[in-house]
Amino acid sequence: MDAPGPVSRRAAAAAAAAAATMLLRTARVPRECWFLPTALLCVYGFFASLRPSEPFLTPYLLGPDKNLTNVEEAEPDGLLVLKVLWNDFLVCYSSRPLLCWSVWWALSTCGYFQVVNYTQGLWEQVEPSRNATIYNGGVEAVSTLLGAVAVFAVGYIKISWSTWGEIMLSLFSLLIAAAVYIMDTVRNIWVCYASYVVFRIIYMLLITIATFQIAANLSMERYALVFGVNTFIALALQTLLTLIVVDDSVLGLRISTQFLIYASYFALIAVVFLVNGAVSITKKYRKREDPESSSQITTS
């Protein structure tokens, strides 16, 4: 490579001087150029205050399909919205299948977040990273990939979820509890990895089924309400669980004891849905038998 000559050196020096000048100009922009930020704030305030839908909102709410009177329409918008949301909430969660799937969705998501958030700490205790080569990132990637494969495969499962859904939720929740328990008690990093992969595959499989079952019992306009409420409950429960189990101001348990509690948490979910599912199936079969017995009595 040829050595740089005087011309190239002068060009480089000129470029450096130009860059320094531009840097100084840029540094002085916040002090000197006040017009642009002010104009942007004014434009933002204008469009934030602009409500083009207001002229059309009143005739829409007074339409025959909404069944609202002038007095009701005259109430504040935040209060009217709350009334509509509350009515939609009652209508949605009055459906027993939707309520059951939503309860599992919220409870299991809470436990899932706890396990995923603190599993790295458990692995570090089982196999410290300073003493051995760890594959935590690879395990996360593999578990996500296999979970996606399981989600695609769920479409080929032929089962009446309306009948056997709660029993299946119970059985799979029990498997999740077993995976978390094994991860906690068997002090081998490869067993921990395998248990974690199983845990994530089962959860991703079930959460997909639960999401589909919830959506199947809803109109599209209520998706945001139900999934928003379910997510809020899951996060509220997770916050409470973290405060009680993890925070030093309450229990501040060791990581191994925390995972024992998480395993017990999923086992409790399994028991609740097992009992509920058994009662539900018993009622359904009794209803099927009642018409047959009444017809036999009538015939005799």
Side-chain angles (χ1 to χ4, degrees):
M1 182 180 294
D2 295 335
V7 177
S8 61
R9 289 177 184 172
R10 283 197 296 270
T21 303
M22 290 298 296
L23 183 60
L24 289 174
R25 288 179 180 175
T26 305
R28 289 197 295 267
V29 165
R31 275 193 245 170
E32 297 177 0
C33 187
W34 57 268
F35 177 78
L36 181 60
T38 305
L40 289 176
L41 287 175
C42 291
V43 171
Y44 169 77
F46 172 76
F47 283 105
S49 302
L50 183 65
R51 294 185 292 179
S53 64
E54 290 298 316
F56 307 97
L57 184 61
T58 298
Y60 173 72
L61 293 176
L62 291 176
D65 55 333
K66 296 302 175 184
N67 195 25
L68 293 176
T69 65
N70 287 320
V71 177
E72 291 172 329
E73 194 277 329
E75 294 180 0
D77 290 343
L79 183 59
L80 182 60
V81 170
L82 290 177
K83 283 185 176 181
V84 173
L85 287 176
W86 178 248
N87 290 334
D88 284 349
F89 176 85
L90 294 178
V91 170
C92 292
Y93 288 96
S94 61
S95 169
R96 187 183 181 280
L98 187 145
L99 180 62
C100 290
W101 287 100
S102 294
V103 168
W104 185 90
W105 201 98
L107 293 177
S108 63
T109 300
C110 166
Y112 173 79
F113 285 158
Q114 286 297 102
V115 173
V116 170
N117 288 344
Y118 294 99
T119 191
Q120 299 288 339
L122 179 68
W123 291 347
E124 184 66 23
Q125 190 180 77
V126 173
E127 189 70 55
S129 57
R130 63 179 179 274
N131 297 336
T133 302
I134 59 173
Y135 303 92
N136 297 2
V139 173
E140 293 280 0
V142 170
S143 62
T144 303
L145 178 62
L146 294 180
V149 173
V151 168
F152 280 111
V154 74
Y156 297 95
I157 298 177
K158 304 300 180 182
I159 186 173
S160 176
W161 293 103
S162 60
T163 303
W164 300 101
E166 294 173 49
I167 298 296
M168 297 302 295
L169 287 177
S170 172
L171 294 178
F172 281 116
S173 297
L174 190 61
L175 288 177
I176 290 177
V180 176
Y181 180 76
I182 291 172
M183 194 191 316
D184 180 47
T185 55
V186 179
R187 314 301 287 181
N188 182 283
I189 191 63
W190 294 105
V191 174
C192 289
Y193 286 160
S195 301
Y196 181 75
V197 171
V198 172
F199 163 78
R200 289 202 67 191
I201 289 175
I202 296 175
Y203 173 80
M204 293 175 70
L205 177 68
L206 288 183
I207 202 66
T208 304
I209 297 172
T211 302
F212 174 79
Q213 293 297 322
I214 292 172
N217 289 277
L218 282 176
S219 60
M220 189 176 295
E221 294 80 7
R222 291 168 175 163
Y223 285 175
L225 172 64
V226 172
F227 287 111
V229 170
N230 292 349
T231 303
F232 174 78
I233 295 174
L235 294 177
L237 289 174
Q238 184 200 2
T239 303
L240 182 62
L241 192 59
T242 303
L243 179 65
I244 295 174
V245 176
V246 181
D247 199 296
D248 292 333
S249 61
V250 186
L251 294 180
L253 301 175
R254 296 184 305 168
I255 190 70
S256 57
T257 309
Q258 291 178 29
F259 271 75
L260 182 61
I261 291 178
Y262 302 151
S264 304
Y265 175 84
F266 279 105
L268 180 61
I269 294 175
V271 171
V272 170
F273 277 87
L274 177 63
V275 173
N276 200 34
V279 172
S280 176
I281 292 174
T282 303
K283 287 182 178 179
K284 285 185 178 180
Y285 277 101
R286 283 182 179 176
K287 287 181 179 178
R288 290 179 183 178
E289 293 175 357
D290 286 343
E292 296 178 1
S293 59
S294 61
S295 62
Q296 291 176 359
I297 294 173
T298 304
T299 303
S300 60

